[in-house]
Amino acid sequence: MRLYTYFLPEESIENHKYYIVIDTLRATSTIATALSVGCESVTIVSEPEKAFELKKENTLLLGERGALKISGFDYSNSPSEILKNAAYFKNKKIILCTTNGSKSLLLANSKGITIAASLINLKAVLQYLITKKIDDIGIICSGTDGKVSLEDAFTAGRILNVLSKQDITYFNDESYIALNLANIPHTRILQYSIHAQKLKKMGLDKDLTMCFNESLFNVVPISKMNENKFKSKIDI
Ligand code: MLT
């Protein structure tokens, strides 16, 4: 099994059969939450203008700039906001536009089948990868504004911690580094993560609690290559 990790989407990323994209705070947590409350799909865009273009009757626009709701959008990039309004999200199509998550999700999906992973859907993603015997995976962490993010590397470590026990694995250096973060207590990660501190200062504690609630949702958001549209457990 080949398990390579990339702490930033800007790195030179090798070809892999599957890509797992992580943006623990908060984009991939938002995607998992939206599909868990019954949204039909989550389409990723990089610019708000593109989202407005795609807006249709049964569509909701979600997104942030500076972790705040983009002006004119329906909701921010907030898992707790989705949960609070779950009934309104059912069967809706979501268009998601975020700063770092959008970039890494679009990059990965231009290269291959992509899974959106986070702590919030950890177990479901691991079960899917093990059941499907997927043996060549590139884990792409989104980072924050071009800098490596602790929470994404930690989530990668949690994934590697289980997959590496499945089979002979070939790691790149970043996988080894991430693996060594896997057993650090959540509280410590939240304490030291720059982005977590920023969200805390903005009063977004509910999102921090949700995004670190491991395996809360049994959902595996997947997008076929170049579709940039995540749905739950599509057959590939
Ligand atoms: C991002 O994609 O940049 C993040 O998810 C930002 C955030 O909403 O906290």
Side-chain angles (χ1 to χ4, degrees):
M1 180 186 268
R2 192 166 77 124
L3 288 173
Y4 281 22
T5 302
Y6 308 91
F7 287 150
L8 288 170
E10 287 81 5
E11 290 180 37
S12 69
I13 294 180
E14 297 193 17
N15 291 330
H16 296 278
K17 281 194 194 133
Y18 270 68
Y19 293 91
I20 296 177
V21 171
I22 297 170
D23 186 35
T24 311
L25 297 177
R26 298 170 286 174
T28 52
S29 303
T30 293
I31 296 170
T33 306
L35 292 175
S36 296
V37 300
C39 289
E40 191 184 309
S41 61
V42 181
T43 299
I44 309 300
V45 298
S46 57
E47 296 308 325
E49 296 68 34
K50 182 75 184 160
F52 289 120
E53 263 173 46
L54 295 173
K55 172 96 178 161
K56 291 197 182 65
E57 200 183 317
N58 189 34
T59 305
L60 292 175
L61 304 188
L62 272 65
E64 58 72 40
R65 285 294 181 261
L68 294 170
K69 183 167 83 73
I70 295 170
S71 162
F73 272 38
D74 301 295
Y75 293 93
S76 178
N77 176 36
S78 165
S80 62
E81 213 177 21
I82 295 172
L83 213 53
K84 203 169 83 194
N85 302 285
Y88 190 61
F89 276 76
K90 207 160 178 48
N91 304 324
K92 292 282 191 328
K93 291 185 172 89
I94 305 296
I95 312 284
L96 180 66
C97 178
T98 79
T99 312
N100 303 291
S102 283
K103 207 177 352 179
S104 50
L105 288 157
L106 292 170
L107 171 85
N109 210 216
S110 71
K111 294 175 71 70
I113 302 166
T114 305
I115 292 175
S118 193
L119 295 173
I120 214 167
N121 64 340
L122 184 68
K123 198 165 152 211
V125 168
L126 286 166
Q127 273 168 350
Y128 181 85
L129 296 169
I130 293 165
T131 315
K132 290 263 181 180
K133 295 190 173 22
I134 293 163
D135 61 0
D136 180 5
I137 299 169
I139 300 175
I140 303 176
C141 297
S142 302
T144 303
D145 307 330
K147 295 194 181 66
V148 173
S149 86
L150 176 59
E151 66 275 7
D152 289 350
F154 171 71
T155 303
R158 302 288 294 159
I159 292 172
L160 293 161
N161 197 33
V162 174
L163 291 184
S164 61
K165 294 188 178 75
Q166 301 306 311
D167 193 347
I168 307 290
T169 48
Y170 300 94
F171 275 6
N172 64 347
D173 292 3
E174 286 152 282
S175 285
Y176 275 109
I177 296 167
L179 183 64
N180 287 285
L181 299 174
N183 298 314
I184 296 178
H186 285 182
T187 47
R188 188 71 61 80
I189 302 293
L190 282 166
Q191 186 187 351
Y192 289 109
S193 152
I194 301 287
H195 196 49
Q197 291 311 307
K198 173 181 172 181
L199 296 177
K200 195 170 181 51
K201 280 201 195 90
M202 295 172 73
L204 296 166
D205 301 66
K206 283 203 183 85
D207 280 343
L208 290 173
T209 309
M210 261 192 81
C211 293
F212 274 74
N213 192 336
E214 239 179 64
S215 304
L216 175 65
F217 297 129
N218 180 22
V219 68
V220 183
I222 304 183
S223 179
K224 292 180 183 170
M225 185 169 174
N226 287 325
E227 279 202 356
N228 304 324
K229 183 185 277 192
F230 288 81
K231 292 182 176 176
S232 180
K233 277 197 187 148
I234 55 176
D235 273 328
I236 291 213

